Amino acid sequence: MKTAIEVHDLTVTYNQKPALWDIDFDIPDGALVGIIGPNGSGKSTLVKSMMGIVEPSSGWVKIFDQDIEQVRHKVSYVPQRESVDWDFPTNVMDVVLMGRYGRSGLFRRLSKKDKRIAAESLEKVGMLQFAQRQIAQLSGGQQQRVFMARALAEQAEMYLMDEPFAGVDAATENSIFEVFQEIRDSGKTMMVVHHDLQSAAKYFDYIVLLNTRLIAAGPTEEVFTQELLQEAYGGKLSILDQIHAIIEQKGYPVRES
Amino acid sequence: MDWDIVIDFLLLRDPNVRYVVLGSVLIGASAALTGCFLFLRKRALVGDAIAHAVLPGICLAFLVFKTKNPAILLAGAILTGWLSLLFIDWITNKSRIKTDTAIGLTLSWFFGIGIMLLTAIQKTGNASQTGLDKFIFGKAASMVDQDVFVFGGLSIVVILVIFLFFKPLKLISFDRDFASSIGLPVGRYDFLLSTLTVLAVATGIQAVGVVLMAALLITPAAAARFWTDKLKRMLLLAATFGAFSGIVGAFISYTTPRMPTGPWIVIVISVIAIFSFLFGAKKGLVVRQVRQQKMQRKILRENILKLFYKLAEEDGQLYEQRGVDQLTNRRFFIPSQLKTGLQQLLKENLLEKADLDYRFTEKGVEEGKRITRLHRLWEMYLTQYLKIAPDHVHDDAEAIEHIITPEIEAELVHQLEMPELDPHDSTIPYGEKLPNKIKD
Ligand SMILES: Nc1ncnc2c1ncn2[C@@H]1O[C@H](COP(=O)(O)OP(=O)(O)OP(=O)(O)O)[C@@H](O)[C@H]1O
Ligand SMILES: [Mg+2]
């Protein structure tokens, strides 16, 4: 299988303190990948360094065998929702149209086509009726879906998403996940930072397990073992133990929609 | 006050007045526009630091070149304004000091040096030094056409640049990481915005004065934010506020020559800000209060109707007349509020007067039913879906019943499969039709 992302000996530091240390893994083309790790384990940093938003101290990342600068327009990034001020004076449609800036250029007027694509993206995440709504008046889950729509409007080949499921309810999570599957089924690669171990096993084909160092990267069944998870999450595994017990008893929980 | 001067000013008869007004408008507008982006990026303090940091530059330029030529003083202002920015960055990068502390330090150091230099200049008794202190508190009327040409021209440049780079500036202000993810050179735009800030501050040194220029940056933006949720409108409003206070400043300066302009401009813009804070259409205090009061009155009326319905359930008499005493016995009401609530219900034809008492109208029955129904449906929902114990759901339902929309009601009925009894085994009353809700 072709390699979509290659991360080579990547080290990133903030004020000399490493947030990522010697990370090295490959991601196959067309995979739906989860990035899993405890708080502060460097998940966001990993995604940001893939996008070239933070500079690595050493190592490099190649996307489709190239430097990110060469393939930027093929990669779409969704920041963590808390990273922006939702009180900003703008509406839903405007935010989604930002997804077209990369393609249509920042100094040209947006075309009818751009607007159509933005509307279609909103439709896909079920937010079209909120197009004119102020972003300050959205719930957390709706904000997340607006970010999704903006990413879809970029019409990229690869999606890197930072915690798209944070603070959304079960129904929204399901509908977002359906969009993910659609994207994956169209042959595109997706990396998704995710918090919930319980659903991670169900959602992802491939998992990158992180705790400043790389604990493991590989197909979900190989990575999701008690030992590796224990290594990533250290001693604080009581919840995980319980979840494992539940999963063993009942199989993967299917959420109500 | 000399009315001839006032009239002269208003008619813009004197060409110099025309220049001063034009300059003040441009300066006010460019500062306000730049300030909008600082405000949205929560970098208001940086504007303050720059405003103070241009003073030593002006003094240095004067000391070195022995001239009050605006272009030269401006260059000095821009130089130290810029240095202060580098200084802030340098402190935060090289030490553990946080940004706000670094800004505070920079502000006081630069301003301190500026005041020191100014004192030194005044001691030398240099003849052309007189009037340099107008750069601290501003003196709009002292601008001659040459000054306006320099300062106004620079303001136009600032305004044009903001206009040209509107989209990228908006994007980095809202979502920096996304902006860099689509390849925007965010570092360079930071540089651009900082430069614009330095320029906008520097243009105001003569008309407004360095110290108060920070207010002209941020206050119009803050005021405009209370009126609108749209960025473009916010920019337009802020620019208008800035320009208007510029004109007032020029007017004061022209009619009362000994008065410093800066403080007056700040007073005008502050009055606008306070007014916006109170009455702004989007976030103004009064508007919010009025909305809240409306809601409270609606809740009160709905509670009265609910009580009427409850009493009717108990004695089986839907149209029985009931007195104020009977109501207050069952539920706490503030007497004066109860009275206005009842009046309002009479007016809406939900209750009618019977002797000294009140009783339901047909419309009132439906409404009482509706609120009782919402209350009980919500209690059902809480117990069934959120697994909350039946004795804990009442208080929540007391609040939520007032905000459930007909759509949510339909959804509740659907999801709960039209239950007959609530968790306390009271019948849930369904109406013939979905009744209208009380107007708020
Ligand atoms: N801009 C920054 N400056 C300094 N330190 C930072 C910065 N961003 C992140 N860090 C530090 O780097 C480490 C990794 O942060 P990162 O945000 O990548 O973690 P994360 O796994 O995404 O956490 P979370 O689950 O909370 O989102 C943390 O210790 C954090 O404190
Ligand atoms: Mg993170």
Side-chain angles (χ1 to χ4, degrees):
Chain A
M1 202 184 274
K2 249 179 58 193
T3 303
I5 303 172
E6 187 184 356
V7 176
H8 180 80
D9 288 347
L10 185 75
T11 298
V12 180
T13 57
Y14 296 111
N15 310 323
Q16 272 98 52
K17 199 173 137 265
L20 287 177
W21 201 338
D22 227 357
I23 308 290
D24 195 292
F25 62 85
D26 296 344
I27 299 293
D29 206 9
L32 180 45
V33 185
I35 301 177
I36 316 284
N39 285 128
S41 57
K43 304 181 295 292
S44 298
T45 306
L46 176 62
V47 178
K48 282 185 195 168
S49 46
M50 287 176 171
M51 286 313 293
I53 298 171
V54 299
E55 283 292 316
S57 311
S58 65
W60 43 257
V61 178
K62 285 217 181 308
I63 290 176
F64 301 129
D65 275 334
Q66 277 175 306
D67 192 77
I68 177 70
E69 296 304 334
Q70 263 82 58
V71 289
R72 237 177 229 298
H73 57 284
K74 291 188 188 165
V75 189
S76 158
Y77 165 69
V78 177
Q80 224 163 324
R81 179 161 56 89
E82 302 87 67
S83 70
V84 310
D85 172 14
W86 289 93
D87 213 19
F88 196 86
T90 188
N91 67 21
V92 168
M93 193 57 173
D94 260 3
V95 173
V96 178
L97 282 171
M98 288 174 187
R100 300 302 301 163
Y101 285 0
R103 280 180 186 268
S104 298
L106 277 158
F107 299 100
R108 248 181 288 150
R109 276 184 150 272
L110 290 166
S111 65
K112 278 228 175 64
K113 184 177 160 222
D114 291 321
K115 289 181 184 149
R116 203 195 62 230
I117 291 171
E120 284 167 5
S121 307
L122 274 173
E123 172 95 74
K124 253 193 205 131
V125 298
M127 288 288 291
L128 190 55
Q129 77 262 38
F130 296 104
Q132 297 309 318
R133 178 80 68 98
Q134 284 305 308
I135 58 168
Q137 294 166 5
L138 299 175
S139 71
Q142 290 170 334
Q143 292 171 353
Q144 201 72 66
R145 281 189 277 167
V146 171
F147 263 11
M148 289 280 308
R150 181 177 69 180
L152 293 176
E154 288 185 77
Q155 300 189 315
E157 301 292 314
M158 179 185 293
Y159 292 85
L160 304 180
M161 309 211 174
D162 203 342
E163 307 225 16
F165 294 127
V168 308
D169 61 17
T172 309
E173 180 159 339
N174 262 323
S175 64
I176 292 181
F177 181 58
E178 272 165 29
V179 177
F180 285 5
Q181 281 175 314
E182 234 175 82
I183 293 172
R184 189 247 326 260
D185 293 345
S186 65
K188 296 174 178 175
T189 313
M190 272 197 118
M191 284 192 90
V192 180
V193 175
H194 191 52
H195 239 113
D196 182 28
L197 287 166
Q198 191 175 344
S199 50
K202 183 180 75 174
Y203 287 165
F204 304 114
D205 320 328
Y206 208 90
I207 289 211
V208 174
L209 193 57
L210 210 61
N211 193 346
T212 312
R213 318 173 286 116
L214 181 71
I215 306 296
T220 305
E221 35 324 333
E222 286 170 29
V223 174
F224 242 56
T225 64
Q226 178 88 16
E227 293 88 312
L228 288 174
L229 288 174
Q230 190 109 37
E231 206 182 324
Y233 283 80
K236 297 169 277 183
L237 203 68
S238 56
I239 292 180
L240 207 69
D241 286 327
Q242 291 167 23
I243 287 170
H244 258 266
I246 296 170
I247 291 175
E248 263 166 28
Q249 271 174 22
K250 301 188 179 169
Y252 289 132
V254 179
R255 296 226 185 176
E256 62 187 303
S257 60
Chain B
M1 195 178 272
D2 188 341
W3 287 103
D4 284 347
I5 299 183
V6 174
I7 288 166
D8 266 2
F9 180 90
L10 292 178
L11 294 180
L12 298 175
R13 246 185 233 149
D14 182 346
N16 194 50
V17 172
R18 258 176 261 160
Y19 281 126
V20 169
V21 168
L22 179 69
S24 304
V25 163
L26 289 171
I27 290 165
S30 70
L33 288 174
T34 316
C36 280
F37 288 101
L38 286 181
F39 174 81
L40 289 172
R41 296 188 60 186
K42 311 199 167 33
R43 286 166 63 92
L45 263 180
V46 174
D48 205 15
I50 294 176
H52 284 80
V54 296
L55 181 63
I58 297 169
C59 295
L60 274 177
F62 177 77
L63 277 174
V64 174
F65 295 98
K66 307 267 186 278
T67 167
K68 283 197 294 181
N69 180 325
I72 291 190
L73 297 185
L74 193 68
I78 291 172
L79 181 78
T80 47
W82 242 111
L83 273 180
S84 74
L85 279 175
L86 295 182
F87 199 60
I88 292 169
D89 279 347
W90 184 74
I91 297 180
T92 33
N93 287 339
K94 295 289 171 203
S95 72
R96 284 172 181 277
I97 295 174
K98 293 266 179 329
T99 317
D100 55 342
T101 317
I103 293 173
L105 285 175
T106 311
L107 183 154
S108 35
W109 286 345
F110 276 73
F111 193 58
I113 295 172
I115 292 291
M116 208 179 72
L117 290 173
L118 193 68
T119 322
I121 291 171
Q122 274 161 350
K123 278 210 185 106
T124 61
N126 187 332
S128 63
Q129 137 259 311
T130 41
L132 200 62
D133 52 343
K134 71 179 175 225
F135 290 107
I136 297 188
F137 290 118
K139 193 166 188 183
S142 71
M143 288 198 288
V144 294
D145 52 356
Q146 187 195 7
D147 304 324
V148 170
F149 189 71
V150 173
F151 296 125
L154 202 56
S155 298
I156 291 180
V157 172
V158 170
I159 293 170
L160 282 181
V161 170
I162 288 179
F163 189 73
L164 196 66
F165 290 96
F166 171 73
K167 265 197 225 166
L169 284 174
K170 169 179 160 187
L171 192 54
I172 60 162
S173 304
F174 172 59
D175 192 343
R176 231 181 122 71
D177 286 343
F178 179 78
S180 36
S181 88
I182 61 170
L184 216 67
V186 287
R188 255 179 268 165
Y189 280 106
D190 283 347
F191 179 86
L192 179 72
L193 190 60
S194 307
T195 310
L196 289 175
T197 312
V198 174
L199 294 181
V201 166
T203 57
I205 50 179
Q206 189 169 353
V208 189
V210 286
V211 181
L212 297 166
M213 208 42 209
L216 201 53
L217 278 174
I218 299 303
T219 322
R225 188 66 185 93
F226 283 106
W227 295 100
T228 176
D229 278 333
K230 293 197 167 66
L231 181 56
K232 279 184 188 161
R233 243 178 248 173
M234 179 179 158
L235 288 170
L236 196 70
L237 264 179
T240 312
F241 292 161
F244 177 74
S245 35
I247 294 176
V248 175
F251 173 76
I252 302 277
S253 184
Y254 194 73
T255 47
T256 33
R258 246 171 288 135
M259 200 74 91
T261 325
W264 279 99
I265 291 187
V266 171
I267 287 172
V268 172
I269 191 65
S270 302
V271 168
I272 294 177
I274 292 168
F275 182 81
S276 307
F277 172 71
L278 290 176
F279 300 104
K282 285 298 170 184
K283 295 171 156 234
L285 202 65
V286 173
V287 173
R288 270 194 318 213
Q289 208 114 54
V290 167
R291 208 178 298 147
Q292 222 167 39
Q293 253 171 22
K294 263 189 186 167
M295 187 67 187
Q296 272 165 1
R297 282 202 292 261
K298 175 175 177 241
I299 290 176
L300 173 72
R301 296 198 305 272
E302 294 189 345
N303 281 339
I304 298 173
L305 290 176
K306 197 172 58 173
L307 183 55
F308 264 86
Y309 190 78
K310 183 166 193 142
L311 293 170
E313 271 185 335
E314 281 168 10
D315 56 22
Q317 302 291 323
L318 265 182
Y319 298 102
E320 182 69 28
Q321 59 193 67
R322 303 179 199 278
V324 169
D325 286 344
Q326 199 187 353
L327 300 175
T328 44
N329 276 343
R330 288 303 302 273
R331 187 185 177 112
F332 173 75
F333 290 106
I334 296 169
S336 60
Q337 289 186 351
L338 178 59
K339 211 171 132 198
T340 23
L342 287 167
Q343 287 306 321
Q344 188 72 34
L345 289 168
L346 288 178
K347 228 191 287 168
E348 287 179 29
N349 201 18
L350 292 162
L351 293 180
E352 58 191 11
K353 201 89 180 186
D355 305 325
L356 282 175
D357 297 343
Y358 301 85
R359 68 165 174 241
F360 260 148
T361 61
E362 249 173 74
K363 201 173 138 201
V365 171
E366 282 308 311
E367 190 54 27
K369 238 189 218 177
R370 183 183 74 89
I371 294 146
T372 310
R373 176 171 67 242
L374 293 182
H375 182 97
R376 293 177 182 167
L377 280 173
W378 188 248
E379 289 189 337
M380 275 311 273
Y381 182 76
L382 289 180
T383 47
Q384 291 218 336
Y385 279 81
L386 302 183
K387 307 287 178 232
I388 296 175
D391 53 337
H392 285 269
V393 293
H394 176 77
D395 288 344
D396 192 56
E398 278 288 299
I400 303 299
E401 65 192 17
H402 303 291
I403 57 169
I404 293 178
T405 61
E407 296 81 50
I408 298 178
E409 178 184 350
E411 187 62 29
L412 278 173
V413 171
H414 173 73
Q415 284 201 14
L416 294 165
E417 292 165 342
M418 206 160 174
E420 272 179 37
L421 299 177
D422 78 356
H424 314 293
D425 292 331
S426 308
T427 311
I428 299 179
Y430 294 98
E432 318 275 297
K433 56 182 170 68
L434 275 183
N436 307 321
K437 53 176 186 148
I438 292 190
K439 284 201 302 288
D440 51 21

